[in-house]
Amino acid sequence: MYSDQPLLPDALKQAHAAAWQTIARPGDHFTGAERVAFLQAARDSMDCDLCLERKTSLSPTAVAGEHTHDTALSSTVVDVIHRLRSDPGRLTRRWFDSVIRHISPAAYVEIVSVVCSGVIIDTLHNALGNGIPALPPSQSGTPSPRPNPNTVDGGAWVPMLAAERDMADTGLPRVPNIARSLGLVPAALDLFFATFRPHYALRDLPLSITQSQAEFVAARVSALNECFY
Amino acid sequence: MLLRASGEREGRDYDERSVTDPTIDPGVADGAGLRALTDAAIRGEWLELADLRSRSARTLGAQQTVDALVVASAFNGITRVADATGIPLDENTLTTTTAMRERTGIQRFDYLEKSARYDSGI
């Protein structure tokens, strides 16, 4: 990855390559082939007629139909991935409740982690003019659930990582809610933040732009994606 | 939104409304260029982004242009984690940003308000 991008930090390149390999391996609830198919489904969503029609409607629930995809994933899983990739700002609690009638919250968390890690990697490739990278070849093996008993109801839709609420000098808790969000599945939490971490820091940003410039970019992305957090 | 906290540390007063209002200068160095890069990257406007990268490399700098896109791509992922898990604001943020959320218009992204707008038909 990024062989022609000398301006990218080596740690970031290594993290993305490692994420690709991690995704290709069996997870807690899905095989390596299924996890790689999540990445493909996320890419398919960008040309999905249903997603495009929903995106331009006043409410995504106003348009019914089938997603365009070329995977063996269930319709529920494909809907989660397409909505997450193409229209994340209009996900709602009632939609989430309808999803977990078909898949467990832990399976949902695993999907979110894989897809969002892939979004970071695909976005950066496209943004640098590289085109999206080839998907990793999946590795064989069976999923092995390793649930985290150390979770709490923290007011999110899913159980969150239990953590002390003491404050850091950034004005945020030492472990902010975003870092607890995928805690139901430790491997999912690890995958996402291993991918994310080389991109950003609350303090001592390891990049050439200032912290304020980075915060403006971050806030602008949040606004474009209609993210409340 | 950490733009305000960052400004406080630097002794600067950045205008948070610039995040949702493109007519307002955020006050950060080359804010307009950063906004254009970010918008094109998140909206998937790749042809326009190619031009913007070249322009930004001359004004902001090649390394800074790449690094801005590094941050944008990260937040394109992490905002989805937040939206998909419905995490609440951290307590201190919830209590200290009420006016800012109204001022900038991001209160309308609150999960309950989204449900009221988008949940009919489920």
Side-chain angles (χ1 to χ4, degrees), chain A:
Chain A
M1 282 184 176
Y2 308 114
S3 56
D4 60 344
Q5 292 292 341
L7 299 180
L8 282 178
D10 287 341
L12 183 150
K13 294 178 185 177
Q14 291 160 8
H16 285 199
W20 235 221
Q21 294 309 308
T22 301
I23 289 170
R25 289 196 286 270
D28 281 43
H29 302 277
F30 297 98
T31 65
E34 288 170 324
R35 287 157 59 91
V36 173
F38 296 169
L39 300 175
Q40 182 60 57
R43 292 175 176 181
D44 291 343
S45 75
M46 306 315 291
D47 298 314
C48 170
D49 290 338
L50 177 60
C51 290
L52 293 170
E53 199 175 345
R54 281 181 167 172
K55 186 79 177 167
T56 55
S57 69
L58 286 177
S59 166
T61 58
V63 183
E66 296 291 321
H67 289 289
T68 306
H69 71 103
D70 189 23
T71 70
L73 301 172
S74 75
S75 58
T76 298
V77 170
V78 169
D79 188 56
V80 168
I81 295 168
H82 280 224
R83 292 284 303 272
L84 184 55
R85 182 66 183 92
S86 68
D87 200 9
R90 299 198 294 179
L91 303 179
T92 66
R93 176 66 195 244
R94 282 178 66 188
W95 168 81
F96 169 77
D97 288 342
S98 74
V99 167
I100 60 166
R101 285 199 288 271
H102 302 281
I103 60 174
S104 71
Y108 176 84
V109 163
E110 183 173 340
I111 295 168
V112 170
S113 169
V114 169
V115 171
C116 294
S117 298
V119 166
I120 292 176
I121 292 170
D122 279 2
T123 303
L124 185 58
H125 274 82
N126 274 323
L128 296 176
N130 284 47
I132 50 178
L135 295 176
S138 62
Q139 298 179 25
S140 60
T142 54
S144 51
R146 285 150 290 184
N148 185 0
N150 192 26
T151 59
V152 294
D153 179 355
W157 301 345
V158 294
M160 297 164 69
L161 182 71
E164 296 295 327
R165 308 308 296 145
D166 55 319
M167 298 291 289
D169 59 4
T170 56
L172 290 172
R174 206 166 297 284
V175 186
N177 285 343
I178 189 67
R180 306 166 63 205
S181 59
L182 301 173
L184 183 59
V185 182
L189 186 71
D190 291 346
L191 167 65
F192 180 78
F193 282 99
T195 309
F196 176 86
R197 205 169 291 118
H199 289 248
Y200 172 80
L202 287 166
R203 276 264 167 111
D204 304 322
L205 190 72
L207 300 172
S208 64
I209 56 175
T210 66
Q211 191 78 42
S212 297
Q213 287 176 311
E215 301 303 354
F216 175 69
V217 169
R220 181 65 189 149
V221 176
S222 293
L224 289 168
N225 285 342
E226 301 194 5
C227 177
F228 186 58
Y229 184 79

Side-chain angles (χ1 to χ4, degrees), chain B residues 45-92:
Chain B
E45 296 163 345
W46 309 127
L47 288 177
E48 185 180 350
L49 183 57
D51 286 340
L52 289 166
R53 276 198 315 268
S54 300
R55 212 177 312 159
S56 179
R58 292 192 295 273
T59 56
L60 187 63
Q63 182 68 64
Q64 288 79 1
T65 299
V66 167
D67 286 350
L69 294 170
V70 163
V71 173
S73 59
F75 278 80
N76 204 27
I78 202 165
T79 50
R80 284 172 165 78
V81 172
D83 280 334
T85 55
I87 51 169
L89 292 178
D90 295 290
E91 293 112 30
N92 186 48

Side-chain angles (χ1 to χ4, degrees), chain B:
Chain B
M1 190 189 303
L2 293 168
L3 181 60
R4 179 180 55 173
S6 183
E8 286 170 359
R9 281 199 299 273
E10 297 170 7
R12 300 282 303 272
D13 187 19
Y14 299 117
D15 193 334
E16 294 156 324
R17 296 173 304 159
S18 63
V19 169
T20 47
D21 185 343
T23 65
I24 295 175
D25 179 0
V28 300
D30 204 17
L34 289 171
R35 184 203 309 278
L37 277 175
T38 303
D39 286 13
I42 301 308
R43 289 175 173 149
E45 296 163 345
W46 309 127
L47 288 177
E48 185 180 350
L49 183 57
D51 286 340
L52 289 166
R53 276 198 315 268
S54 300
R55 212 177 312 159
S56 179
R58 292 192 295 273
T59 56
L60 187 63
Q63 182 68 64
Q64 288 79 1
T65 299
V66 167
D67 286 350
L69 294 170
V70 163
V71 173
S73 59
F75 278 80
N76 204 27
I78 202 165
T79 50
R80 284 172 165 78
V81 172
D83 280 334
T85 55
I87 51 169
L89 292 178
D90 295 290
E91 293 112 30
N92 186 48
T93 305
L94 180 67
T95 55
T96 60
T97 62
T98 306
M100 180 276 286
R101 296 198 307 270
E102 291 295 344
R103 198 165 56 242
T104 58
I106 63 176
Q107 181 59 35
R108 68 191 168 88
F109 303 154
D110 173 72
Y111 302 116
L112 288 176
E113 295 195 20
K114 284 182 181 179
S115 282
R117 281 199 299 275
Y118 305 135
D119 268 347
S120 63
I122 291 184

